[in-house]
Amino acid sequence: MCVLGESRLEGYHGLAYRKLVEAGVNVGDTVEVSFGDESFVGRLMPRVESDDDSVVTIKLPNGYNIGLSVVDASVRLVSPAGGLHQQPPVEEAVGFGAGEYVALISTGGTIASRVEYETGAVRPALRASDLMSLVPELEGISRLKTQVLMSILSEDMKPAYWERIARAVYSELEAGAAGVVVAHGTDTMGYTAAALSFALRGVDRPIVLVGSQRSSDRPSSDAYTNLLCAVKFAKESFRPGVYVCMHASTSDPTCAVIPGVKVRKMHTSRRDAFKAVNTRPVAFVDRDKLVFLDESSKGYVVGGGVVFKPGFSDKAALIEYYPGFSLDILNWLAEKGYLGVVLAGTGLGHVSSELVDGIARLRRSGFLIYMTSQCLYGRVNMNVYTTGRRLLAAGVVPLGDMLPETAYVKLSWALANYPLEEVDGVMRSNLVGELSARSVYSGEWT
Ligand code: DGL
């Protein structure tokens, strides 16, 4: 499929449509919108918000989309899309040599979707042609092979889907991708990043999860920058491991690349919502450069070899302790066949002392109980206060500076891949950087 030459004014109506047709402009072309002295030049984007039919959306050279009313403006074609779609669509492209391309797997979320406002339906937008019109600069960075693996909001993600994603990533690596980018909803992207970290331990190439806080067709979307940075890191970093790549700050066109087991969504809407917790990003990347914070670990792992264990159990739980928490909740989990729980306790790793005897009983019955901290920053230390010491004696296993979500994913993975009697040992070990010997001060949330 080649869209070169087709008339493309997706989503435009009324005045904006008429002015664009008169100017001979299609989506993807570079246009100038002039208001007397002031003018804006950028690439015409598809329009999806049809409530105002006098507005055109253009992508500025800095990557941000702006909406401009054309009521008092003139529109001029600066240059047609030209080579934008001249490559074969990447989802159909064949003959890529090993290491020549990045595989892009879409799972859904805002970054991978376009909302059709008339119907309310969301459809995947990760065909090669969609991507190239969203981020034309990708052509200069890497050849891409895309697939829509699933199309869900990430709150609907579950352990069985982590396995599907792990298998898809693994087969792309086996097929010779230089790196794999996984487009994902932001809400639970940290969980999936942790899941892939464990499932593909020892991977020798970059696996990069990317999302966006604002959809690609909205003004000031972060999709463009995030995708560009993720593909660049996947192709050019040669850094093995699983990472999340998202905006580093609210206004900067730079992304932070954060280890998949130490990353957390810390804000509901800011573009720089993802933070490294108890560690630092491994790199900052923008369209022109890739700066490692840790030069020593750059490069392929030679002779490492991936230990592919893609299974995840749905018999693990994650529970945040709160004043008034009842032992009934833990008893219920055990009765329902759950095999273990990660607690996000208070401070250094506490729950009410009233729970200690019940917790000891549960542990004796074989139910596994792990402790992390709801503080997130810092690490649990259950030797400081009496409650902590009593919980240790009751058999609760402390998990240092591991994030509660990472610990939960790890427990789900360990239960599916190891005999029950080995799970405590697995949980206590640092397998992929999830458990640091010493916590790193990683800055503070502002
Ligand atoms: N609920 C969201 C999700 O995680 C949609 C928005 C987003 O992608 O961030 O899929």
Side-chain angles (χ1 to χ4, degrees), residues 104-105 107-112 126 180-186 189 207-212 222-231 243-247 255 274:
L104 178 51
I105 298 171
T107 66
T110 298
I111 190 166
L126 262 182
V180 180
V181 172
V182 178
H184 199 286
T186 57
M189 190 156 63
I207 300 167
V208 189
L209 285 98
V210 67
S212 67
D222 49 339
Y224 166 91
T225 298
N226 295 348
L227 197 51
L228 185 75
C229 294
V231 171
Y243 306 95
V244 162
C245 177
M246 294 286 288
H247 254 64
C255 290
F274 283 80

Side-chain angles (χ1 to χ4, degrees), residues 28-39:
D29 294 346
T30 301
V31 292
E32 182 179 44
V33 181
S34 305
F35 304 84
D37 291 349
E38 202 177 13
S39 69

Side-chain angles (χ1 to χ4, degrees), residues 4 130 147 164 207 211 277 302 316 321 358 416 437:
L4 190 65
D130 291 322
Q147 67 167 292
R164 271 179 71 190
I207 300 167
V277 178
V302 178
Y321 172 80

Side-chain angles (χ1 to χ4, degrees), residues 8-246:
R8 285 168 47 112
L9 279 173
E10 188 180 350
Y12 285 97
H13 308 281
L15 180 68
Y17 179 84
R18 285 196 301 279
K19 287 209 171 185
L20 291 168
V21 169
E22 277 164 24
V25 172
N26 287 320
V27 165
D29 294 346
T30 301
V31 292
E32 182 179 44
V33 181
S34 305
F35 304 84
D37 291 349
E38 202 177 13
S39 69
F40 297 85
V41 175
R43 193 177 295 273
L44 185 72
M45 300 301 290
R47 180 120 182 107
V48 290
E49 293 168 89
S50 56
D51 49 340
D52 187 343
D53 66 9
S54 64
V55 172
V56 299
T57 302
I58 65 170
K59 182 179 293 300
L60 298 175
N62 63 10
Y64 290 116
N65 292 352
I66 56 169
L68 298 169
S69 167
V70 293
V71 174
D72 296 315
S74 63
V75 177
R76 182 176 75 84
L77 174 66
V78 174
S79 60
L84 184 61
H85 299 291
Q86 282 173 349
Q87 279 195 343
V90 283
E91 65 270 36
E92 291 168 19
V94 287
F96 289 172
E100 279 180 6
Y101 66 96
V102 167
L104 178 51
I105 298 171
S106 167
T107 66
T110 298
I111 190 166
S113 308
R114 273 195 188 140
V115 180
E116 287 165 341
Y117 285 84
E118 292 83 356
T119 61
V122 175
R123 66 173 167 80
L126 262 182
R127 289 168 304 158
S129 47
D130 291 322
L131 274 176
M132 290 304 177
S133 59
L134 179 63
V135 192
E137 289 87 341
L138 285 176
E139 275 187 35
I141 295 174
S142 181
R143 304 176 90 177
L144 290 178
K145 182 179 165 203
T146 63
Q147 67 167 292
V148 179
L149 180 67
M150 54 186 83
S151 194
I152 63 170
L153 296 172
S154 77
E155 55 268 34
D156 293 331
M157 200 51 76
K158 48 189 166 189
Y161 295 168
W162 297 334
E163 175 166 350
R164 271 179 71 190
I165 300 169
R167 288 188 183 283
V169 170
Y170 185 65
S171 64
E172 292 297 351
L173 293 173
E174 289 277 281
V180 180
V181 172
V182 178
H184 199 286
T186 57
D187 287 1
T188 68
M189 190 156 63
Y191 291 78
T192 301
L196 296 180
S197 305
F198 294 114
L200 290 138
R201 180 157 53 112
V203 67
D204 62 356
R205 278 159 280 170
I207 300 167
V208 189
L209 285 98
V210 67
S212 67
Q213 290 279 72
R214 317 212 180 128
S215 69
S216 56
D217 35 32
R218 286 174 197 275
S220 71
S221 168
D222 49 339
Y224 166 91
T225 298
N226 295 348
L227 197 51
L228 185 75
C229 294
V231 171
K232 187 175 172 76
F233 189 83
K235 184 71 183 347
E236 297 176 10
S237 74
F238 303 107
R239 169 91 187 220
V242 180
Y243 306 95
V244 162
C245 177
M246 294 286 288

